[in-house]
Amino acid sequence: MAGTIHWPDDTRVAPASEVVRHRVSALVGEGRPAWVVDLAGFRERCASAASAARAVDVTLLMAVKACSDERLLTVAAREGLGFDCSNLVEVDRVRSLLEPRTAVSLTAPAVPGYERSELLKFISSGQRTWANWHSLDQLMWACHEAPAASHGLRLFAPECAPPELVGSYRQSRFGVRLDHISDALSIAAERGARVSNLHVHNGSGEHRTEWYEAAARTMLDTARGADLPLERVNLGGGLQAKTGTELSELLGVIRGLQRDGVEFVLEPGGWWYRGLVWLAAPVLEVTIGDLCNFVVIDAGAENHRRWSLPVAPNFGPTETGRPHVICGRTCSEKDYFAQVAGCPDAPVPQVGDWVVLSMSSYSLELQSSFGGLRPLPAIFAE
């Protein structure tokens, strides 16, 4: 008899769709863990978000680093979304999907010499390709080697919004300081180039609408004060979200900030997949410990959990009142997915049950081989 399937707490994430539930039920019969990606839900999210953004003249980008699976990128491209890339590998990943009017933004933390010429060639060749340089050194060589390209600056995020707002903090190695804007304009002008784009990005899944509004106002005011011929404001990603429906509020705020001739851009990386990526694995052991009961699943946190804060199921209480801790089956003492407090009405996990975790797409992207485990197959439900 099949065991219980423990689904994530739906007060913290949108419930899984019927196609996902059906596919997980089929996995139980097969006995092997896997990712289940709600492709139908992703297609609908892309379509609805793209439509809402077009209505207010905002450009939406898909961050390739968030998930580079060709099936998902193809869906995004078909809905008219652009792409955010951070290196040549990501650019190459989407080249075949690009139409003449597809927006592509390059924000590179660092550029090795062997990628430089190809990246500059790429951003110089498209109708809607541009770069956001995060340092004056990057800007200097880019303007020297590709003066005709569309150049922009990634700004130091903690200076773009008040520190009391969620997502603002004072630690970052990325971005040009606001008091260096005039230096950046001089560097570009001396090389026959111009800076026309401003960009900010900070954190992951941390920002509420107030942060974006403050950052946008800072960038608009900075451009005006520096006589920067602003063509584009890119507010990055990091959108704090629960169900994937929060974008409409942010689009409304942007609409009130728009200026003639200035394009607004968003690239909410993990938001696109929130509540659409699931890790399903059987329970192999339940071990009673001194401080908690360990629920061991057929996966590994070192392999399959990176960049995720999994939304876990509610479990029934242990006999001792200890919490449950979901962990993986590697030898690492750090192999933990989530801690679960007891819930009176929920079933207690048993060997042979299945645990489903709501995960970030980054974990799917960052899978690794460790301790005898391998990347898990991805099943696309539609």
Side-chain angles (χ1 to χ4, degrees), residues 106-368:
L106 172 71
T107 307
V111 181
Y114 51 83
E115 288 192 2
R116 182 181 294 183
S117 62
E118 186 62 28
L119 282 175
L120 291 176
K121 179 181 177 182
F122 173 77
I123 65 169
S124 300
S125 63
Q127 295 181 36
R128 297 191 66 204
T129 55
W130 67 88
N132 312 295
W133 306 113
H134 91 93
S135 70
L136 297 183
D137 285 343
Q138 281 189 342
L139 180 69
M140 190 177 298
W141 58 253
C143 289
H144 174 72
E145 297 179 32
S150 180
H151 297 288
L153 300 175
R154 176 176 180 172
L155 300 180
F156 183 65
E159 291 184 347
C160 291
E164 64 268 17
L165 293 180
V166 173
S168 295
Y169 52 84
R170 304 304 297 180
Q171 282 282 43
S172 178
R173 65 185 175 95
F174 302 117
V176 175
R177 303 283 179 145
L178 297 184
D179 59 3
H180 290 167
I181 297 294
S182 59
D183 295 332
L185 297 180
S186 297
I187 287 171
E190 290 166 3
R191 290 157 180 79
R194 60 198 289 265
V195 173
S196 56
N197 311 304
L198 293 180
H199 170 62
V200 66
H201 178 75
N202 186 35
S204 179
E206 297 177 340
H207 302 322
R208 296 174 182 158
T209 303
E210 295 83 2
W211 191 92
Y212 293 97
E213 181 175 6
R217 292 188 185 281
T218 297
M219 288 193 283
L220 292 169
D221 291 345
T222 297
R224 183 168 52 251
D227 290 328
L228 189 157
L230 190 61
E231 296 178 1
R232 185 177 291 112
V233 170
N234 187 336
L235 291 171
L239 179 62
Q240 188 179 89
K242 180 179 179 182
T243 64
T245 62
E246 292 80 2
L247 186 67
S248 58
E249 179 185 353
L250 179 54
L251 291 175
V253 168
I254 291 175
R255 187 173 189 176
L257 295 169
Q258 287 171 324
R259 303 289 187 272
D260 289 342
V262 179
E263 176 185 12
F264 274 77
V265 181
L266 290 173
E267 48 186 63
W271 173 87
W272 291 106
Y273 305 96
R274 177 70 172 173
L276 301 175
V277 177
W278 312 84
L279 176 63
V283 176
L284 304 179
E285 294 184 1
V286 178
T287 302
I288 299 174
D290 294 335
L291 300 177
C292 62
N293 286 8
F294 298 98
V295 179
V296 184
I297 64 173
D298 190 5
E302 306 284 352
N303 310 74
H304 310 120
R305 197 211 66 188
R306 288 186 291 173
W307 279 35
S308 276
L309 294 174
V311 178
N314 289 318
F315 289 148
T318 61
E319 293 182 2
T320 60
R322 303 183 184 100
H324 292 94
V325 171
I326 300 172
C327 58
R329 67 175 177 92
T330 70
C331 295
S332 172
E333 291 283 9
K334 298 179 180 179
D335 192 350
Y336 299 119
F337 280 89
Q339 179 174 308
V340 185
C343 180
D345 299 327
V348 176
Q350 307 288 334
V351 174
D353 288 356
W354 277 64
V355 168
V356 183
L357 302 170
S358 180
M359 305 289 284
S360 163
S361 63
Y362 287 98
S363 294
L364 176 60
E365 181 70 13
L366 288 166
Q367 295 186 87
S368 68

